[in-house]
Amino acid sequence: MTTRKRIESVEELVAFRDAARGSASTAGASPDRRQVLVCTGGGCIASGSLEVAASFRRALAARGLEGGVQLLETGCLGPCARGPVVVVYPDGTFYQQVKPSDVDEIVDSHLVRGAIVSRLVNRHSATGELVPQIRDLEFFRKQVKIVLRNCGVIDPLKIEDYVARDGYAALAKALTRMTPEQVVEEVKASGLRGRGGGGFPTGLKWAFARKTPGEVKYVLCNADEGDPGAFMDRSVLEGDPHSVIEAMAIAGYAIGAHQGFVYVRAEYPLAIERLGIAIAQARECGFLGQNILGTGFDFDLEIRKGSGAFVCGEETALMTSIEGNRGEPRPRPPFPAVKGLWGRPSLLNNVETYANIAPILLNGAAWYASYGTERSKGTKVFALAGAVRNTGLVEIPIGMPLGELIYEVGGGIPGNKTFKAAQMGGPSGGCIPVEHLGVPVDYESLIELGAIIGSGGLIVMDDDACMVDVARFFLEFCQDESCGKCAPCRIGTKRMLEILERICEGRGEEGDVERLIALGNTIKDTALCGLGQTAPNPVLSTIRYFRHEYDAHIRDKRCPAGACSALVRAPCQNACPAGVDVPGFVSLVAEGRYAEAMRWHRERNPFASICARVCFHPCESKCRRVTLDSPVAIRGVKRFMVDRDVAMELPEVRPDPANAARQVAIVGAGPAGLSAAYFLARLGYRPTVYEAEEKAGGMLVQTIPAYRLPRDRLAQEIALIESMGVTIRTGMRLGRDFTLKTLRDAGCQAVFLGIGAQKGSRLGVPHDDAPGVTEALSFLRSANLSEGFAAGRNVVVVGGGNAAIDAARTALRRGAERVTIVYRRRRSEMPAWEEEIDEALHEGVVLETLAAPVEVQVADGRVTGLVCQRMELGSYDRSGRRRPVPIKGEIFTIPADQVIAAIGQSVDAAGLFGDLPVELDRDGRVQADPRTGRTSVEWIYAGGDATLGPSSVVEAIAAGERAAAAIDEALTGADHAFWRRNVPVDTAFDPDADPSPLPRAPAWLRPVEERKGSFAEVELGWSEEVARGEARRCLRCDWRETCNQEVQRW
Amino acid sequence: MVNLTINGIPVQVPEGTTVLQAARHASIRIPTLCYLENVQAIGACRVCMVEIEGARTLVPSCVAPVAEGMKVRTNTERVRNARRTVMELLMSDHAGDCKTCERNDDCEFQALARDLGIRQVSWEGAKSPARLDASTPALVRDTGKCVLCRRCVTVCHGVQDVGALFPQARGFQTVVGPAFGRDLATVTCVQCGQCASVCPVGAISERDDTDKVWAALEDPTKFVVVQTAPAIRAALGEEFGFEPGTLVTGKMTAALRRLGFDAVFDTNFTADLTILEEGTELLHRLKAALAGNGTGTPADGEGHGEPAHGPGPLPLATSCCPAWIKNCEHFHPDFLPHLSTCKSPQQMFGAAAKTYYSRRIAKHPSDVFVVSVMPCTAKKFEAARPEMEASWQRDVDVVLTTRELARMIQAAGIDFVNLPDEAMDQPMGMSTGAADIFANTGGVMEAALRTAYEIVTGRPLPFDGLRVAPIESLEGIKEAALTFRGVLPEWNFLEGVTARVAVAHGLANANRLVDRIRKGEASYHFIEVMSCPGGCIGGGGQPRPTTDAVRKARIEAIYREDQSKAMRKSHENPQVRAAYEAFFQAPNSELSHRFLHTRYFGRDRV
């Protein structure tokens, strides 16, 4: 290292800066300078960037390019998940996940021949186009870098690089052109607030510290960054250490202090090393020490290492620790500004706060305050982590909507999962659910939602996250890190943790949630320091937004997300609403034991053949195989299994004369009603099912097109149920042919309503009742039930759900020449299943997204078209999706002779219940206890679409099963649901063997040209070889060392 | 002055007052647990929470300073709920074996639960790690009972400067104990018992040795002798409902006799003996220093107290307090030569009882069983020191604290309150007022001055009522000067000499005094140190609580006892003189050195 000349005056600083600009390695400093920037932030070092840098050094030397190409090792650029990252200037090409072996190619291709190495370049997440330039990356586009202005741009080990970018100019300005009061006023006017978590106005803090009289004062920097996942302070210290040194010297001048301490956690060795080098360089240049810049101001800095106690990030504990004592908080008042380190007035800010100071002084408070919101100014650095594509460090203007931060800067949720919550503010922060994605990220708004900005940790969670488990995790952290001084934090958080652990293990009790709330609130009100006062936040905020998950754990002993191992036998089984033992039947198929597999499946679900075709298979979306390659094609395995089922074996039925004598009626022979009948029959009941239509099967026969569900299989399964002692009476419509009262009067002890949601919603635009306008259900019903039905020639379907797709594909098969689906959002937001949309498009359906109907065009009393409004996506709504808003003036018309509305269904309750007080909810659905199906009338139960609105077959099956068990329990006083016992399957499994290397088998589909006009089934079954191979891909998450597998009881 | 309202009542208090103090001023009680007046206010337990208008959370009143216009509420639903929750949480992590706990009915924690009206503990769960440390002869620690109030930590560090107890580990695993989880016996603990004195629960207590005494009393072959330290008589009554400062010498004597002790004696007797020995030692050292035979600076080397090496350096330091001795052995090994070689009165008594007295009653020393009743836990340690075998066996067999004696009296069914006053047995029940004041800080010094001055000048100490007022207060370090004039011929090297003395109580003060002496910032001829604040009356074995008000009351009682005595100077004690004549020859004689003096050893700090 060359020794540096001491800078004695502002003039010398200017000269130094000009010289540095000429020679310094600042990125993109000059358009004719070729540079290779290798990120050496902690994240990229962990993924091997030091080796990459070394490879560049060698490669450049080997080609004699050392002189012509400058190699820079910079601090963190932010996109850590893509590390090691390399940027090549002057063009600014961004290379990601660069391995040492890629370096020769980059040098030869890019630096020698000028051709970008496209395989290492980022692609646009939606379009897949190459995005080579760093400034074009989605990740950077919305960022505003003030704190991180030099990170990833300069060599942190060279003070010249810092000075070249106006480093120490703010200190010079403060010392020569501002009074200390003016400095304080400038900081005050900027609106900067403490970035360590509290958000206290920084200028005010400086003013207090300035005002307190004292010969000796201290300036302290909190670099004890301890929030799991947060690393912005580390990045600043590693990537731009002088920004903190300069700011602390300015603070010293402002408050009248001559000594500062930076308290860095010992777990940051690289930050300590680089800061130490920077301090030494600053001393050498005279930015620290005596008579700084010849102004007579003295200030020096020392590093103090903290040994990793989270609580030492609390200001009083931090000072106690610097003093050499056990790091524990002490009561305030007195505040540090009055009595701080060693009893002296002290100013404590964190790294990120200090990093804002120099730009504020140089560019003015007004410039800084132009970013942010009314009460929260400037920018904030966030550490994006968890279920988000672009994990890493981002700096955004305060006030950006959370959804924008996650979906645009963060790139959204990977792996086709849905966003569930954002945990903000570190372990003591809170969770923000999907309905608040539109919240502006600022101090006040987040506090209102029970979260905090905190130090800027942001963990994105998808539907795999169990919120009870998340709360338990964060509370465990706080409990571990409690200093143990005050009782509420030491014992209270432990007691909360114990309750949470119990809940996660399935030992939760009624009242636990109330206990958590009461204790949590008292801890917040009584704990000594910020750690304890905020430790209950993750629990309280998850209870606030995810109370239903707590209830599922406590009441149903069920973890809906499939995360709590004590409650989850296998994630697929856990995800199945009907609780089918997926690994059980899949492993039986793998062994070729098809009849047993079928029996195994029928234990929990009588409609294997239906589910094999139309189930939306939540099991597959939870399959752990995805961590290896892709999920097991469970539905495909099931499809093969049912195709092999020739015997149609009856399941176990336990005859019971007493039950046989009990009259139970079921209204509706859809999947819910038939499933209720099936399970009641297994307990010896002989229920009667009343069906309004002429054919049993409900929606399955009425609306699901036959190309998805062949009718003969359905008929066989219904026949099987009848053979178990169930009577189905078709043509019996409730309210017309019988009433609930007549059933009751005839001795019926319980009634199950599986009446579906039969009423389709209208479009709600002018002429939506014109001839040619229909809604999807009646369209599908007619198409499915009446031979010779013909659709229009030019059909427009409005909606984005499965009913819309069914209607569109059915229309094609019923003679339509052109079918258009109009949907007001984007394709990615369509609720229909991805593969159904794909197939519809294959078959020629046109998708018109971002369009909403405004009027049905009518001529001569007939539909001639649909007038649509072009939409764009606006702010996030409560469903967590961006709200479609009209683009003024963009109106267009789609010619049509038939318009089908597929925009929602409700229960057609008119005249159904007589004067019985069966309560409906706001959406017109029957209100029923989700666990039992019991309605507001004690002997009436309900389930399926009637209670849920349009939902899935498997949910209807599950509702029927639950109601059957509940009816039996109500009538007999005991629980007899024997099929709920989890019996371990006797298939072979070697836990030490490597998993099957086979990739997921694709579905075999009928060629598109064969489908048009045909209702032949589109999906074809696999061969035995393919099916058994696929079944062997199962990882057998159900397998346990111990035999006691009876974990699920719900 | 600051004006505020508490529960709507206007209160005016000086600036700097805490809300807790202001509330007490206004006759409003706020429950506390970790708070200890004049010693600890750290806001740790969160029991004293109050509502202050405008504050985001509740506020711990023990550390919250008053402010002008402040509005405090101490009895709202929010406050009551918080206090109860905190208390129930503490109880959920507490051993809870109240019925068999030594502190049953004398427990601040129990009383707090009662005051807060707790009828059930709503929170249950794991208990933090519990450990029983019975490694020392003096103290037993049971972390399962600890409520982590940290009073012991503050006393051990702040008041005693010993630093043997720390909070260890974090969060729910936090325990208070010696560093690295070690046993108390392996660290610098001086066993003063101040931790036990301030412990609100039964987490630190004296080792209970009453069973050994009961056994000896039952043993027909044993002649069981009891000695009671001067501080007992001013405090024992508190255990039976008497006001602090009530003297119960006569009732105590009667109770001891009813317990079955064969002879009821007084440590005061050997206190008088100590004065003669230590006074003589002082005069020797003065002579050596002033007549040029000594340097007055600390001598070098180990094995101090050998009479063969001649008089030790000045200042002479008292050696009655075993915790002070251990403190010097750990922290000031260079200062050991300054310590008087005299055994403490307890050990002089033990040695005398098993030699002089056993010969007098014609019993073999092994048939004499010596029980001490001491205000002190360190005395248990002292009696167990290997050097304390002047009679070729343990000189003192069992040491009881005041609290243990009270338990024996209770267990024996003795109606202490209504006992008649009885007198001690002879010869070792005889004492002077000078011996009584050994219980108080400054008392040993005063007693020594009373005798030394009279020996040197032939006249009584020229102070009002023989009281050396400057050294009697509760100041931490006290000084006095006394000029010898008109000395007897044999002491003429002292003519006109101003003897400078200093008194320290509380080991932090003592250490400060030693540091000053070591650095040459102060120079004395004689210093007195008692480890416990207030002296032995505030000892670690005394009835709880021991507050400054209680200390003052006990000190005054001791002076009343002194002033009620006909003889108030140790050298006047006829039984002491008789003992010299019959057995010990003369102060600092070879025999007295053999039986009544001892030596000290440097000890490691870790």
Side-chain angles (χ1 to χ4, degrees), chain B residues 17-192:
Chain B
T17 309
T18 64
V19 170
L20 177 68
Q21 288 161 337
R24 290 187 176 176
H25 187 74
S27 304
I28 293 167
R29 279 189 59 200
I30 296 175
T32 59
L33 179 59
C34 69
Y35 174 76
L36 193 60
E37 199 175 303
N38 299 337
V39 177
Q40 174 171 291
I42 55 170
C45 72
R46 319 307 277 183
V47 165
C48 69
M49 305 305 276
V50 296
E51 216 174 301
I52 293 178
E53 206 176 279
R56 192 170 44 88
T57 61
L58 295 177
V59 174
S61 60
C62 69
V63 288
V66 294
E68 186 62 34
M70 186 183 256
K71 291 194 176 77
V72 181
R73 305 217 70 95
T74 70
N75 184 30
T76 62
E77 177 60 30
R78 180 176 165 209
V79 165
R80 284 192 302 269
N81 167 60
R83 288 177 186 164
R84 260 202 309 267
T85 304
V86 166
M87 187 62 193
E88 287 182 39
L89 287 171
L90 283 162
M91 291 170 83
S92 75
D93 186 29
H94 182 67
D97 51 349
C98 298
K99 291 189 288 294
T100 54
C101 179
E102 177 225 312
R103 296 300 294 271
N104 191 8
D105 215 23
D106 170 34
C107 174
E108 293 179 43
F109 196 57
Q110 231 178 24
L112 193 57
R114 183 197 59 220
D115 291 351
L116 293 175
I118 290 172
R119 287 289 167 270
Q120 65 166 30
V121 177
S122 315
W123 313 103
E124 52 185 29
K127 295 226 182 341
S128 54
R131 166 160 175 230
L132 196 74
D133 173 5
S135 61
T136 73
L139 295 162
V140 177
R141 291 190 312 123
D142 181 353
T143 61
K145 291 177 181 173
C146 179
V147 293
L148 295 171
C149 71
R150 304 198 175 188
R151 288 180 181 179
C152 57
V153 177
T154 300
V155 163
C156 194
H157 286 252
V159 178
Q160 297 300 64
D161 212 7
V162 169
L165 297 173
F166 303 85
Q168 324 253 310
R170 303 206 144 258
F172 194 66
Q173 304 300 313
T174 309
V175 284
V176 165
F180 313 118
R182 293 173 73 156
D183 281 339
L184 210 48
T186 67
V187 297
T188 55
C189 171
V190 300
Q191 310 192 18
C192 65

Side-chain angles (χ1 to χ4, degrees), chain A residues 50 93 113 129 148 171 176 222 231 312 359 408 594 712 778 843 855 871 878-879 986 1046:
Chain A
L50 292 180
T93 303
R113 297 200 311 271
E129 285 164 37
L148 303 174
L171 175 64
T176 58
N222 186 347
F231 57 98
C312 287
E408 279 155 61
Y594 308 128
D712 50 340
S778 37
E843 291 169 9
E855 187 183 349
M871 311 294 277
R878 290 187 63 82
S879 71
D986 66 350
E1046 292 182 34

Side-chain angles (χ1 to χ4, degrees), chain A residues 326 328 479 482 498 525-526, chain B residues 46 78 92 126 150 169 171-172:
Chain A
R326 175 181 162 96
E328 285 183 342
Q479 160 63 204
S482 164
E498 286 169 334
D525 209 13
T526 55
Chain B
R46 319 307 277 183
R78 180 176 165 209
S92 75
R150 304 198 175 188
F172 194 66

Side-chain angles (χ1 to χ4, degrees), chain A residues 663-668 690 733-755 909 911-920 926 935-942:
Chain A
Q663 278 192 51
V664 179
I666 290 161
V667 185
Y690 298 88
R733 182 174 291 277
L734 178 62
R736 181 188 72 193
D737 305 314
F738 65 101
T739 65
L740 293 171
K741 191 166 177 302
T742 57
L743 290 176
R744 186 68 167 171
D745 291 345
C748 203
Q749 287 174 277
V751 174
F752 176 77
L753 298 174
I755 52 177
L912 282 188
F913 308 127
D915 50 6
L916 285 168
V918 176
E919 283 176 20
L920 304 181
V926 178
T935 67
S936 54
V937 178
E938 192 196 17
W939 50 277
I940 298 177
Y941 295 75

Side-chain angles (χ1 to χ4, degrees), chain B residues 344-366:
Chain B
S344 71
Q346 157 172 277
Q347 292 306 135
M348 283 197 188
F349 183 97
K354 291 200 177 180
T355 54
Y356 159 65
Y357 179 68
S358 71
R359 181 185 293 188
R360 193 173 147 135
I361 59 170
K363 288 215 177 269
H364 191 275
S366 62

Side-chain angles (χ1 to χ4, degrees), chain A residues 683-695:
Chain A
L683 293 172
Y685 291 86
R686 306 181 72 80
T688 304
V689 183
Y690 298 88
E691 168 58 46
E693 301 294 333
E694 293 308 319
K695 257 187 191 165

